[in-house]
Amino acid sequence: MTRHAVLKMPAIADFDASYFLSTPGAGKTIAELRKNQVIFAQGDNADAVFFILQGRVKLTVLSEQGKEAVLGLLESGQFFGECCLNGIPVRTSTATTMEDCTISVVNKATMLATLRDEPAMSEFFMAYLLARNSRIEEDLVDQLFNSSEKRLARLLLILARFGDHGSSRAIDIDISQETLAEMIGTTRSRVSYFMNKFRRLGFISYDAKIQVHASLLNAMSSDDVPAPKAS
């Protein structure tokens, strides 16, 4: 049986959540998707859980008035579509690939049975849910207490996967200023203003991709990114 190359074969007697999610089988498939493919659309039947093995996925929602908002950008190691496990019958958002992706698709019945019968899978899934909840709380605090300029700086650092090491990191996906604006709750013109300001201050630069420099992280840490007059 084929499997995702980066994961190791577990011992036969043990259940390995990563191996389970990276191999096709009963109730599971591995989908290879191209950039900008719709994985599911808002209103579709919700009958499976998805796990990103490689690539990034954008979640969006469309209001009754036709306005689209970006709910989040997901990357490898993250689940999405899990609301079906809670009895929600239709998709409440649209999931679209932002680059070529490898995604594990586990149907609802198989996922529920595995969570029930395999403690290791339950622990793996619970760890994801707790981490996501912490991220949601951080995002809420960011929206409530930080200016749009600081929210943009934080988002750029997240998109560049900026950690404690390295002096410059590229945002390795194409993302428009309009999408950035939707994600931080401001206008595209404000994002354009802040991006030009960050570039002028040496926090970011443009090559083939947006390069995020350590100076932006340092500015955020030392509170040197001033709040604008209007957010």
Side-chain angles (χ1 to χ4, degrees), residues 208-220:
K209 303 285 186 181
I210 299 172
Q211 295 282 336
V212 180
H213 304 307
S215 54
L216 179 59
L217 179 62
N218 296 335
M220 285 287 290

Side-chain angles (χ1 to χ4, degrees), residues 31-118:
E32 300 286 347
L33 303 174
R34 306 297 295 176
K35 180 180 178 180
N36 294 327
Q37 272 193 252
V38 174
I39 303 165
F40 58 73
Q42 188 172 334
D44 286 352
N45 290 333
D47 54 6
V49 177
F50 301 81
F51 182 79
I52 305 173
L53 294 167
Q54 184 175 346
R56 290 192 184 186
V57 171
K58 178 173 68 173
L59 297 180
T60 58
V61 64
L62 193 67
S63 71
E64 292 182 358
Q65 293 74 34
K67 184 177 181 180
E68 185 178 80
V70 178
L71 296 180
L73 305 181
L74 308 177
E75 60 184 17
S76 57
Q78 293 185 295
F79 290 92
F80 62 101
E82 71 275 7
C83 289
C84 69
L85 301 178
N86 197 34
I88 298 176
V90 298
R91 300 297 181 191
T92 56
S93 62
T94 296
T96 309
T97 59
M98 301 187 71
E99 57 191 6
D100 293 351
C101 291
T102 303
I103 295 177
S104 177
V105 185
V106 186
N107 70 40
K108 177 181 175 180
T110 299
M111 189 69 175
L112 287 172
T114 306
L115 289 172
R116 181 187 65 239
D117 299 337
E118 300 292 349

Side-chain angles (χ1 to χ4, degrees), residues 20-221:
F20 169 80
L21 290 166
S22 65
T23 57
K28 300 182 295 172
T29 59
I30 304 299
E32 300 286 347
L33 303 174
R34 306 297 295 176
K35 180 180 178 180
N36 294 327
Q37 272 193 252
V38 174
I39 303 165
F40 58 73
Q42 188 172 334
D44 286 352
N45 290 333
D47 54 6
V49 177
F50 301 81
F51 182 79
I52 305 173
L53 294 167
Q54 184 175 346
R56 290 192 184 186
V57 171
K58 178 173 68 173
L59 297 180
T60 58
V61 64
L62 193 67
S63 71
E64 292 182 358
Q65 293 74 34
K67 184 177 181 180
E68 185 178 80
V70 178
L71 296 180
L73 305 181
L74 308 177
E75 60 184 17
S76 57
Q78 293 185 295
F79 290 92
F80 62 101
E82 71 275 7
C83 289
C84 69
L85 301 178
N86 197 34
I88 298 176
V90 298
R91 300 297 181 191
T92 56
S93 62
T94 296
T96 309
T97 59
M98 301 187 71
E99 57 191 6
D100 293 351
C101 291
T102 303
I103 295 177
S104 177
V105 185
V106 186
N107 70 40
K108 177 181 175 180
T110 299
M111 189 69 175
L112 287 172
T114 306
L115 289 172
R116 181 187 65 239
D117 299 337
E118 300 292 349
M121 184 64 187
S122 296
E123 183 178 347
F124 184 89
F125 190 61
M126 181 63 71
Y128 158 76
L129 292 177
L130 291 173
R132 188 187 68 173
N133 186 64
S134 295
R135 173 67 180 275
I136 290 172
E137 289 183 355
E138 290 174 0
D139 289 345
L140 179 59
V141 170
D142 194 39
Q143 289 286 341
L144 290 174
F145 297 113
N146 286 334
S147 67
S148 53
E149 185 175 14
K150 287 187 176 181
R151 295 199 300 272
L152 177 61
R154 177 175 177 266
L155 178 58
L156 292 174
L157 291 166
I158 290 171
L159 291 174
R161 298 186 176 107
F162 222 104
D164 296 328
H165 305 288
S167 58
S168 180
R169 295 291 300 270
I171 295 177
D172 55 6
I173 53 172
D174 295 326
I175 187 164
S176 68
Q177 291 188 356
E178 185 175 5
T179 297
L180 292 172
E182 290 173 355
M183 295 187 69
I184 66 171
T186 190
T187 63
R188 192 206 61 77
S189 61
R190 293 296 286 171
V191 167
S192 178
Y193 171 78
F194 296 140
M195 293 290 281
N196 287 328
K197 177 180 177 180
F198 291 168
R199 181 168 57 176
R200 187 172 66 253
L201 292 172
F203 296 160
I204 65 172
S205 58
Y206 293 96
D207 194 358
K209 303 285 186 181
I210 299 172
Q211 295 282 336
V212 180
H213 304 307
S215 54
L216 179 59
L217 179 62
N218 296 335
M220 285 287 290
S221 300

